[in-house]
Amino acid sequence: MTAASSTPASTAPSSTTAAPPDRSAAAEKFRQQVIAGWSAVSTVGGSLSMKAGPVHSRGTFSATMDDGRRTALQLDLKVTSVGSTAPMKLLAVDDRSFIGGEKVLTQLQATPSTAEWLELTGSTRKVVKQAARKLDRSFEFTAADRPLLIADAAVEVTPAGTDTIRGTSVRRFEVDVDVKTLLAASGGDAYTWADKVGGSTQSVTVWLDEDQRVVRLAEKYDVTYWVAEVTIDWQDFDEPVELSAPHPDAVAER
């Protein structure tokens, strides 16, 4: 991970999405639990796996937090598509975003070829602007504040027993989320994607520890022609994490 100090980009309220229709009392209780637990987290690390049709991304992340929202985030991924795997890394810090990885930098025509990063923020190049739009959604979808997005979109919650994750007893919940509310908060085209998913609600599975922190989330969406699956594990709560923008010498020309 990139080492140095991190300055929070902004302080966001604990809940930012409009309330979905017909939120049950159980869903509201769950939402308040997640807000309380997640808002107390200052840093977090973890791992994720995302499958969308033929593309599979998996890797690790670390983030700094403020009031339940990420202020800085780095993802280190391996992206597999059509039998080919390429490393890729993403960094969001101080209202700036960067992408790295030899193959992706070559595709984005980054110069010089020795550069480690390419800044996406404010680029005037069409190919970079297109990449930035796609990655903005990736950051929101996989960011450390996703537990709050799920909680805000919850319309019904059912306790589903207990499990053990990394040696710790945790509670499992089946959560029905309002698809349009969730996708709108995640930066997606809510109405288009809701139509592709089919149905106004979708069930996701959430695991909470004794401090009301989300330690695992599993989502699956049956989209027209393919299936999207996301599993995120959060751990290393409140451990030292330092993220900053890369040194200018490591960043490609824009």
Side-chain angles (χ1 to χ4, degrees):
M1 298 296 177
T2 305
S5 62
S6 171
T7 302
S10 62
T11 300
S14 296
S15 177
T16 59
T17 59
D22 302 322
R23 175 182 286 153
S24 71
E28 179 59 26
K29 179 180 178 181
F30 173 82
R31 174 177 171 273
Q32 294 299 330
Q33 288 177 323
V34 172
I35 289 174
W38 211 244
S39 295
V41 173
S42 61
T43 65
V44 66
S47 60
L48 58 92
S49 172
M50 298 180 292
K51 296 180 181 179
V55 181
H56 183 193
S57 302
R58 59 195 184 281
T60 60
F61 62 88
S62 61
T64 58
M65 309 283 292
D66 184 24
D67 196 24
R69 304 286 177 178
R70 54 105 172 165
T71 55
L73 170 71
Q74 181 162 332
L75 298 167
D76 290 277
L77 304 172
K78 289 185 177 180
V79 181
T80 301
S81 178
V82 197
S84 175
T85 299
M88 181 172 68
K89 53 187 180 180
L90 307 171
L91 174 65
V93 62
D94 297 335
D95 294 322
R96 302 168 70 188
S97 58
F98 301 84
I99 188 169
E102 183 178 355
K103 186 174 182 178
V104 68
L105 292 186
T106 298
Q107 292 174 338
L108 293 175
Q109 303 171 359
T111 57
S113 59
T114 55
E116 183 181 355
W117 296 95
L118 173 65
E119 183 170 2
L120 301 175
T121 315
S123 176
T124 57
R125 293 175 53 211
K126 182 178 180 180
V127 65
V128 177
K129 291 168 67 175
Q130 290 174 337
R133 283 195 294 270
K134 292 179 180 179
L135 290 174
D136 279 345
R137 294 184 180 183
S138 295
F139 274 127
E140 292 304 320
F141 197 75
T142 61
D145 52 12
R146 186 144 188 88
L148 294 187
L149 303 184
I150 293 291
D152 278 344
V155 293
E156 187 58 85
V157 175
T158 304
T162 60
D163 292 312
T164 299
I165 295 179
R166 293 181 292 277
T168 300
S169 179
V170 295
R171 293 172 295 151
R172 183 174 74 253
F173 297 87
E174 297 300 328
V175 182
D176 290 338
V177 298
D178 180 74
V179 173
K180 290 179 179 179
T181 300
L182 177 61
L183 290 173
S186 301
D189 185 330
Y191 291 91
T192 298
W193 277 94
D195 289 341
K196 290 182 178 179
V197 170
S200 59
T201 62
Q202 186 77 26
S203 180
V204 303
T205 306
V206 180
W207 289 261
L208 297 183
D209 68 8
E210 62 180 7
D211 294 317
Q212 318 298 346
R213 300 175 304 197
V214 179
V215 295
R216 179 172 293 169
L217 172 68
E219 304 177 57
K220 183 176 181 179
Y221 301 95
D222 293 315
V223 185
T224 312
Y225 307 123
W226 47 271
V227 174
E229 296 180 77
V230 179
T231 302
I232 308 176
D233 275 86
W234 290 276
Q235 58 191 97
D236 301 330
F237 294 104
D238 302 322
E239 296 291 329
V241 172
E242 296 182 337
L243 298 173
S244 70
H247 190 279
D249 290 346
V251 181
E253 300 173 0
R254 289 195 292 170

